[in-house]
């Protein structure tokens, strides 16, 4: 079977590799100067990058978080990890403990913070207000049609 360390490494490094692959078109586009020469294409490239990145992290967030947090779930009586009884519980200062702590802040804490920051940057409050106004307007029209046709 696959060891806990192998699984942890795959779940923590794999998404970073995919993220870098998603970032590649943005870097190439930036280096080619599309930001200045073709702003609409640059905008589409950035939009595609952020859409794919948010989807990636939204889908992988639970699995990554559980994998990272399993490092700290120990059987106190035996001193072994509950997810893999072949592994000793890591101390905070050990490589595995430090590695998991770094990725704890990167993934379970970092992904929600990143999503909040991006949504605020994109003006999520204004988007929600516009959609709410449209929904209220649609409801008002539907009510008018229902009462006037009765």
């Amino acid at each position: 079977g696959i060891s806990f360390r192998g699984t942890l490494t795959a779940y923590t490094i794999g998404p970073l590799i995919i993220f870098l692959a998603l970032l590649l078109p943005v870097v190439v586009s930036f280096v080619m100067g599309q930001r200045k020469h073709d702003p609409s294409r640059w905008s589409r490239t950035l939009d595609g990058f952020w859409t794919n990145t948010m989807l990636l992290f939204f889908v992988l967030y639970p699995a990554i978080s559980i994998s990272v947090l399993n490092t700290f779930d120990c059987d106190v009586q035996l001193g072994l990890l509950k997810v893999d009884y072949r592994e000793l519980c890591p101390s905070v200062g050990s490589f595995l403990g430090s590695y998991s702590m770094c990725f704890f802040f990167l993934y379970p804490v970092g992904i929600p913070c990143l999503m909040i920051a991006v949504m605020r940057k994109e003006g999520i409050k204004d988007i929600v207000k516009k959609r709410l106004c449209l929904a209220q307007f649609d409801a008002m029209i539907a009510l008018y049609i229902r009462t006037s046709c009765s």
Side-chain angles (χ1 to χ4, degrees):
I2 300 173
S3 71
F4 172 73
R5 290 174 189 252
T7 304
L8 181 65
T9 302
Y11 275 80
T12 53
I13 301 298
L16 290 178
I17 293 170
I18 296 169
F19 174 77
L20 291 174
L22 292 173
L23 187 62
L24 193 59
V26 174
V27 172
V28 170
S29 184
F30 183 79
V31 169
M32 291 178 59
Q34 285 184 347
R35 185 175 179 186
K36 294 178 183 173
H37 295 86
D38 193 355
S40 67
R41 189 167 185 176
W42 170 254
S43 178
R44 288 192 315 268
T45 303
L46 279 180
D47 185 51
F49 165 74
W50 283 115
T51 300
N52 292 328
T53 299
M54 290 298 159
L55 178 65
L56 171 77
F57 287 134
F58 179 77
V59 169
L60 295 180
Y61 178 76
I64 296 169
S65 296
I66 288 170
S67 180
V68 170
L69 292 173
N70 277 339
T71 307
F72 307 108
D73 188 20
C74 292
D75 186 331
V76 179
Q77 294 173 340
L78 298 175
L80 301 172
L81 289 177
K82 288 182 182 178
V83 74
D84 186 354
Y85 277 96
R86 297 173 292 179
E87 285 280 337
L88 291 173
C89 286
S91 65
V92 177
S94 70
F95 174 76
L96 186 60
S98 300
Y99 180 87
S100 294
M101 189 62 72
C102 289
F103 281 102
F104 169 76
F105 286 108
L106 181 65
Y107 290 121
V109 173
I111 290 174
C113 290
L114 173 70
M115 288 191 174
I116 289 169
V118 169
M119 286 190 292
R120 284 194 175 188
K121 181 188 174 293
E122 295 299 320
I124 192 70
K125 288 182 180 180
D126 294 334
I127 293 169
V128 170
K129 282 181 185 177
K130 286 178 186 174
R131 291 205 178 177
L132 183 61
C133 285
L134 285 173
Q136 289 172 337
F137 182 74
D138 289 344
M140 183 179 68
I141 296 296
L143 179 63
Y144 173 76
I145 291 172
R146 195 171 50 232
T147 56
S148 65
C149 294
S150 300

